Amino acid sequence: MAKSVLTPQATDFPRWYQDVVAKAELADNGPVRGTMVIRPYGYAIWERMQAEIDLRIKAAGVANAYFPLLIPESYLRREAEHVEGFSPELAVVTHGGGKKLEEPVVVRPTSETIINSYFAKWIQSYRDLPLLINQWANVVRWELRPRLFLRTTEFLWQEGHTAHASESDARAFALRILSDVYEDVMTNVLAIPVLTGRKTDNERFAGATTTWTCEAMMRDGKALQMGTSHELGQNFARAFEITYLDEAGQQSYVWQTSWGVSTRLMGALVMVHGDDDGLRLPPRLAPVQVVVVLARADDGADTAAAALAEELRTAGLRVELDLRTDTSFGRRVVDWELKGVPVRLEVGPRDLAQGMVVVARRDTGTKTSVALPGVVGAVTAALDAIHGALLDEASALRRSRTVDAAGLDEAVEAAATGFAVLPMSALGVDGETTLNRAGISIRCIQSADGGLPGSSHDATDDAPLVAVVGRAY
Amino acid sequence: MAKSVLTPQATDFPRWYQDVVAKAELADNGPVRGTMVIRPYGYAIWERMQAEIDLRIKAAGVANAYFPLLIPESYLRREAEHVEGFSPELAVVTHGGGKKLEEPVVVRPTSETIINSYFAKWIQSYRDLPLLINQWANVVRWELRPRLFLRTTEFLWQEGHTAHASESDARAFALRILSDVYEDVMTNVLAIPVLTGRKTDNERFAGATTTWTCEAMMRDGKALQMGTSHELGQNFARAFEITYLDEAGQQSYVWQTSWGVSTRLMGALVMVHGDDDGLRLPPRLAPVQVVVVLARADDGADTAAAALAEELRTAGLRVELDLRTDTSFGRRVVDWELKGVPVRLEVGPRDLAQGMVVVARRDTGTKTSVALPGVVGAVTAALDAIHGALLDEASALRRSRTVDAAGLDEAVEAAATGFAVLPMSALGVDGETTLNRAGISIRCIQSADGGLPGSSHDATDDAPLVAVVGRAY
């Protein structure tokens, strides 16, 4: 309806993304290259994500804790593969308290090394297992081609770290986080359909034995890695000497997992649901679910608008009241659309005189006149419908842009506009390298029957495997 | 009752503090000098503090946001007094992404400089004011004599930053945060009585025109600064060119405030309420308000204990159920006392046979037999009583250790065991220096009538002023 202030998606998707992030006031670039300022509206969305994720992490029996930002450089060297993965990305503190430090310290790029050095102290016996810890923190990985939320030198995340008595316990827990926390939040709160599967050895987290991933398709057909859950085997246990006395009185190394999601999810939210008018926030996530917009303040319409807002709040909804009639109604509507508020209640003197208000849905743009006594019911029904509609729309897009490919050439062609599903048997020894040269990566490996495959280090998988390939952010 | 595992307070208070922090599993030292690991139980308490503070900050109209950890060194130099205050404490990153950086960046010691550089972009007109922003973040200030929670190289805090159209608006807001957020949480949640007042010019935050403070007395008679709220005048506005077009069409500099509380509050909690058996947590803060401890599992006592825990949870309480009968009852009681859980419900087969359980209060050690149908009422009443009792006890201690002093000698003597209240007129020109040489500082200036004095830069105060002096952490 209202004229857009954004570059259309079809014209230039990356430019559209930048426009939305700026104009919906989600984030700004920081002064140090690659860093970002998360503005209040962006942060309110992130706080809602955090709350939903934190609830599920705690329900899985995990406790939050906090470990230091600064890590001695020597800690990172203890696990060889791990340091190799991170060394080009490190920020190094060489001076502290006005003096050169004896040993440089790094700003944490992730916390496996420091957390595991404490696990070694805290874990003595099988009674201390499983040890299930999470932290919400900032991490720093120097980023050469930064992009707000998607790739930033500093980002916010949660990182879970656990220790278990057996490999099967560790595997089960890594998969529980993948499905009960990550997939559940992404699908049922963010309304983003995700593919779950395992990473190839090439794409696996440095130091992990298996990396499990949730992958989503953005509106331009590209993939975004949404979150990962790693089986670490005994790699860190051996490097940090994390052993326990088992029930038989034997010293054994623990089996571990780590897992994380980050402010990257904000980028996914924009690129999965956003349209040419701005954000479209899924209602279960939105910090503002309903905005009550007063058109003109005549004839007590402001009092009526305030009463409606209060009635909606009492019904348990997150509501904002917009009485700024010194700014034009049209301009405010454009702004609320930019910000993606799922439902707009338009309150004007003429409608009110007839006992009516207008309920406008952000996802479809449809407007319905509703009699005053039915407002709470109509808004609640609209919010429920919007969650389903956004999820269906994203699922339909992914379906329409996913091709079953028989061989590499076909997969490369399909990945120009979306995903290709390729039998692993058709990939061959150099298949992944060939794809990578074409700017395409294997997003995840799945079982041909739709289920999850075994872990990377399993000798065999029961069903034939397929690779989901695409271009990635 | 149970034999203590702690150094008694009377023997060695600092050692007692270290013992409690370690044995109640609140925190550990980090590998980089002065950093700390906040363990799950400590972090659960901190999360409860955060929730209570965040609620009140938002009720004052403030929005959360997030600004970068890394700040260009040049930013800190823009406000001269400010850089002077912080330069000896800075952690400096000189290398990033495998290369030496062209300009070194500092790890934020506080965020006035970076936040104000964005305020300059975001504030254009009087309609953009007041701008009220808060962030929850980690900050780094190199600490030479670290002590867990009290002085750490990295700590967690919230820092609020606001911009207003007038000096009086800024002052009113700084004082609103002081009383409605800080004093309210400290008194009504943490059960810690605080003195509010302003800092001397000497003790003022670098860059502020007035610093307001909340000060509390620890159980050893020493003072701890609990939180501060600063009027910044136009110092940062001039340094960062933060101007707005007022209603008359004139460009003016904004007036600002900043304010913060940190994980230091955890140290206060330990030292205000703790006793020789460990922590004593105030019930409104405690992550576990009631622990149901099963003595022996005979005769279905475990089922009864679980049912009681569930009944208490249903009543809205935070409850833990301890069924670990493979560890002795006495040892578990000692542990729950160490952890300061306000109410313990002891469930054993013999009492149960008579339809009774024991309600034990952590603050007084009193135990009462309660008939099963009355358990929720008895526990709720005990929790209410404990909040008041802890607050009264701390207030009484402060009263008993506070002396009205007529002159400096008397004040120095009184400060050996507590606080002295000294007329500002008796302080003289060199009085503060004399006190400082004796290891004593002016904690805050108050009005002799008990109210708050004017701001530092006011020419006159209405009532005579007094200085509260003491030794400080």
Side-chain angles (χ1 to χ4, degrees):
Chain A
M1 45 151 300
K3 192 166 157 19
S4 173
V5 293
L6 307 171
T7 307
Q9 289 185 337
T11 307
D12 185 343
F13 194 83
R15 178 83 180 273
W16 167 85
Y17 176 78
Q18 278 191 329
D19 284 358
V20 173
V21 169
K23 298 204 168 146
E25 299 185 347
L26 298 181
D28 255 356
N29 288 302
V32 173
R33 187 174 161 72
T35 63
M36 71 176 157
V37 173
I38 307 178
R39 300 187 66 175
Y41 191 59
Y43 200 80
I45 300 171
W46 174 241
E47 279 185 317
R48 287 279 311 127
M49 284 189 194
Q50 282 191 298
E52 294 284 350
I53 295 163
D54 197 65
L55 197 73
R56 287 164 178 78
I57 287 176
K58 284 176 175 151
V62 180
N64 285 339
Y66 187 79
F67 293 81
L69 173 75
L70 303 175
I71 303 179
E73 221 178 23
S74 57
Y75 275 51
L76 270 89
R77 286 196 216 101
R78 286 210 217 165
E79 211 288 320
E81 281 194 63
H82 184 256
V83 67
E84 213 171 287
F86 281 107
S87 55
E89 301 179 356
L90 298 177
V92 185
V93 176
T94 54
H95 291 71
K99 289 199 291 193
K100 190 163 194 294
L101 301 176
E102 285 180 26
E103 184 192 353
V105 300
V106 303
V107 181
R108 64 178 160 224
T110 179
S111 303
E112 270 78 8
T113 60
I114 193 160
I115 291 183
N116 284 322
S117 73
Y118 286 87
F119 274 28
K121 290 170 62 176
W122 298 340
I123 297 171
Q124 302 298 330
S125 120
Y126 67 93
R127 290 169 194 246
D128 301 321
L129 299 177
L131 181 58
L132 312 174
I133 298 283
N134 177 62
Q135 86 171 350
W136 290 95
N138 54 345
V139 288
V140 171
R141 299 175 187 176
W142 220 263
E143 188 54 68
L144 299 176
R145 292 159 301 136
R147 213 147 161 206
L148 288 172
F149 292 122
L150 300 173
R151 274 194 312 269
T152 48
T153 290
E154 181 192 12
F155 56 89
L156 305 184
W157 78 345
Q158 61 67 217
E159 49 178 320
H161 299 271
T162 70
H164 306 263
S166 72
E167 181 171 21
S168 60
D169 285 358
R171 178 173 307 174
F173 200 79
L175 290 173
R176 176 173 178 183
I177 294 293
L178 188 79
S179 65
D180 296 1
V181 180
Y182 295 161
E183 190 178 7
D184 184 44
V185 164
M186 291 167 195
T187 312
N188 296 319
V189 180
L190 274 59
I192 297 179
V194 292
L195 299 170
T196 56
R198 86 171 187 234
K199 289 287 189 187
T200 63
D201 292 352
N202 193 35
E203 301 272 343
R204 201 173 60 206
F205 169 65
T209 55
T210 296
T211 291
W212 300 99
T213 183
C214 294
E215 301 279 329
M217 184 187 280
M218 306 296 106
R219 280 192 142 206
D220 61 352
K222 286 171 79 173
L224 187 78
Q225 178 178 304
M226 304 281 287
T228 48
S229 182
H230 313 291
E231 295 177 47
L232 302 176
Q234 298 181 314
N235 290 344
F236 288 92
R238 286 173 196 278
F240 288 87
E241 280 296 320
I242 315 174
T243 60
Y244 72 98
L245 204 62
D246 67 21
E247 293 188 63
Q250 293 285 325
Q251 286 286 349
S252 305
Y253 287 111
V254 299
W255 295 86
Q256 297 191 266
T257 79
S258 71
W259 28 276
V261 294
S262 74
T263 35
R264 196 161 221 237
L265 289 178
M266 295 287 296
L269 191 73
V270 174
M271 292 197 293
V272 168
H273 297 308
D275 67 14
D276 285 349
D277 293 322
L279 293 176
R280 296 190 303 170
L281 293 185
R284 295 178 196 166
L285 180 72
V288 179
Q289 296 175 302
V290 196
V291 58
V292 179
V293 187
L294 177 66
R296 289 196 326 279
D298 306 344
D299 301 325
D302 47 354
T303 315
L308 277 168
E310 200 44 44
E311 194 185 341
L312 291 163
R313 273 189 204 112
T314 305
L317 301 177
R318 297 185 287 274
V319 182
E320 182 124 345
L321 177 60
D322 178 357
L323 301 175
R324 298 168 300 161
T325 46
D326 53 352
T327 301
S328 84
F329 180 68
R331 192 167 151 187
R332 287 181 291 144
V333 166
V334 168
D335 193 53
W336 290 117
E337 291 192 336
L338 254 172
K339 294 206 154 136
V341 173
V343 168
R344 195 171 65 242
L345 211 61
E346 301 181 352
V347 181
R350 204 166 0 156
D351 286 343
L352 272 182
Q354 298 173 31
M356 307 292 278
V357 292
V358 170
V359 174
R361 273 176 62 161
R362 172 63 183 90
D363 61 327
T364 54
T366 50
K367 292 181 171 202
T368 317
S369 277
V370 174
L372 284 173
V375 166
V376 169
V379 168
T380 309
L383 290 172
D384 281 347
I386 293 169
H387 176 84
L390 288 174
L391 188 61
D392 286 350
E393 196 180 327
S395 302
L397 178 89
R398 191 182 71 192
R399 225 169 13 249
S400 75
R401 290 200 179 202
T402 300
V403 169
D404 284 317
L408 280 176
D409 291 348
E410 223 179 303
V412 170
E413 201 190 315
T417 54
F419 291 172
V421 180
L422 183 71
M424 283 294 279
S425 57
L427 196 66
V429 180
D430 297 324
E432 188 168 7
T433 313
T434 307
L435 291 170
N436 290 350
R437 282 207 194 102
I440 297 163
S441 53
I442 300 180
R443 304 315 308 154
C444 63
I445 298 173
Q446 297 187 309
S447 209
D449 62 12
L452 287 174
S455 297
S456 300
H457 44 291
D458 283 350
T460 55
D461 280 294
D462 294 337
L465 299 181
V466 293
V468 180
V469 311
R471 293 165 304 142
Y473 277 94
Chain B
M1 48 153 298
K3 191 168 157 23
S4 175
V5 294
L6 307 171
T7 307
Q9 290 186 338
T11 308
D12 184 343
F13 194 83
R15 178 84 179 274
W16 166 84
Y17 176 79
Q18 278 191 332
D19 283 359
V20 173
V21 169
K23 297 206 170 142
E25 300 186 349
L26 299 181
D28 253 357
N29 288 303
V32 172
R33 188 174 159 74
T35 62
M36 72 176 156
V37 173
I38 308 178
R39 300 186 66 174
Y41 191 58
Y43 200 80
I45 300 171
W46 174 241
E47 278 186 318
R48 287 279 311 125
M49 285 190 193
Q50 282 191 297
E52 294 285 348
I53 295 163
D54 196 65
L55 198 73
R56 288 164 176 80
I57 287 176
K58 283 176 174 150
V62 180
N64 285 340
Y66 187 78
F67 293 81
L69 173 75
L70 302 175
I71 304 180
E73 221 177 23
S74 57
Y75 275 50
L76 270 90
R77 287 196 213 102
R78 287 209 215 165
E79 213 286 321
E81 282 194 65
H82 184 256
V83 67
E84 214 171 289
F86 281 108
S87 54
E89 300 180 355
L90 297 177
V92 186
V93 176
T94 53
H95 291 72
K99 287 198 292 194
K100 190 165 194 294
L101 300 176
E102 286 179 24
E103 184 191 353
V105 302
V106 304
V107 180
R108 63 179 162 224
T110 179
S111 304
E112 271 78 7
T113 61
I114 193 160
I115 291 184
N116 284 322
S117 74
Y118 286 86
F119 274 28
K121 291 170 61 174
W122 297 341
I123 296 171
Q124 302 296 328
S125 120
Y126 66 93
R127 291 168 192 248
D128 301 321
L129 297 177
L131 182 57
L132 311 174
I133 298 283
N134 177 63
Q135 86 171 350
W136 289 95
N138 53 345
V139 288
V140 171
R141 299 176 188 175
W142 220 264
E143 187 56 66
L144 299 178
R145 291 161 302 135
R147 213 145 160 208
L148 287 172
F149 292 123
L150 300 174
R151 275 193 312 270
T152 48
T153 290
E154 180 191 12
F155 55 90
L156 305 184
W157 77 345
Q158 62 67 220
E159 49 178 319
H161 299 270
T162 71
H164 306 263
S166 72
E167 182 172 21
S168 60
D169 285 358
R171 179 174 308 176
F173 200 80
L175 290 172
R176 175 172 180 184
I177 295 292
L178 188 78
S179 64
D180 296 2
V181 180
Y182 295 162
E183 191 179 4
D184 184 43
V185 165
M186 291 165 195
T187 312
N188 296 319
V189 181
L190 273 59
I192 297 179
V194 291
L195 299 171
T196 57
R198 84 170 187 235
K199 288 289 187 185
T200 63
D201 292 353
N202 192 35
E203 299 273 344
R204 201 172 61 204
F205 170 66
T209 55
T210 296
T211 291
W212 300 98
T213 185
C214 296
E215 301 279 330
M217 184 186 281
M218 306 298 104
R219 284 194 140 203
D220 61 351
K222 287 172 80 173
L224 186 79
Q225 178 179 303
M226 305 281 287
T228 49
S229 182
H230 313 290
E231 294 178 47
L232 302 176
Q234 297 180 315
N235 290 347
F236 287 92
R238 287 173 197 279
F240 288 88
E241 280 295 321
I242 314 175
T243 61
Y244 72 99
L245 204 63
D246 66 20
E247 292 189 64
Q250 294 284 325
Q251 286 285 350
S252 304
Y253 287 112
V254 298
W255 296 86
Q256 297 191 267
T257 79
S258 70
W259 28 275
V261 292
S262 74
T263 34
R264 194 162 223 236
L265 290 177
M266 296 287 296
L269 191 73
V270 174
M271 291 197 293
V272 169
H273 297 309
D275 67 14
D276 285 349
D277 292 323
L279 293 176
R280 295 191 301 170
L281 293 185
R284 296 179 195 163
L285 180 73
V288 179
Q289 297 174 303
V290 196
V291 58
V292 179
V293 187
L294 177 65
R296 289 198 326 278
D298 307 343
D299 300 326
D302 48 352
T303 315
L308 278 168
E310 200 43 44
E311 194 185 342
L312 291 163
R313 274 190 202 110
T314 306
L317 301 178
R318 297 185 288 275
V319 181
E320 182 125 345
L321 177 60
D322 177 356
L323 300 176
R324 299 169 299 162
T325 45
D326 52 351
T327 302
S328 84
F329 180 66
R331 190 166 155 187
R332 286 182 290 144
V333 166
V334 168
D335 192 55
W336 290 116
E337 289 191 337
L338 254 172
K339 293 205 155 136
V341 173
V343 169
R344 194 172 66 242
L345 210 62
E346 302 181 352
V347 181
R350 207 170 356 162
D351 287 342
L352 272 181
Q354 298 172 32
M356 307 293 279
V357 291
V358 170
V359 174
R361 273 176 63 163
R362 171 64 184 90
D363 61 330
T364 53
T366 50
K367 291 182 171 201
T368 317
S369 275
V370 175
L372 283 173
V375 166
V376 169
V379 168
T380 310
L383 290 171
D384 282 347
I386 293 169
H387 176 85
L390 288 175
L391 188 60
D392 287 349
E393 194 179 327
S395 302
L397 178 89
R398 192 181 71 194
R399 227 174 7 254
S400 75
R401 290 201 179 201
T402 299
V403 168
D404 284 317
L408 281 176
D409 290 347
E410 222 178 304
V412 169
E413 201 191 314
T417 54
F419 292 173
V421 180
L422 183 72
M424 283 295 279
S425 56
L427 196 65
V429 179
D430 296 325
E432 189 169 5
T433 314
T434 307
L435 290 171
N436 290 351
R437 280 205 199 106
I440 298 162
S441 54
I442 300 182
R443 305 315 308 153
C444 63
I445 299 172
Q446 296 187 310
S447 211
D449 62 11
L452 287 173
S455 297
S456 301
H457 45 292
D458 283 351
T460 55
D461 279 295
D462 294 336
L465 299 181
V466 294
V468 179
V469 312
R471 292 164 306 142
Y473 278 93

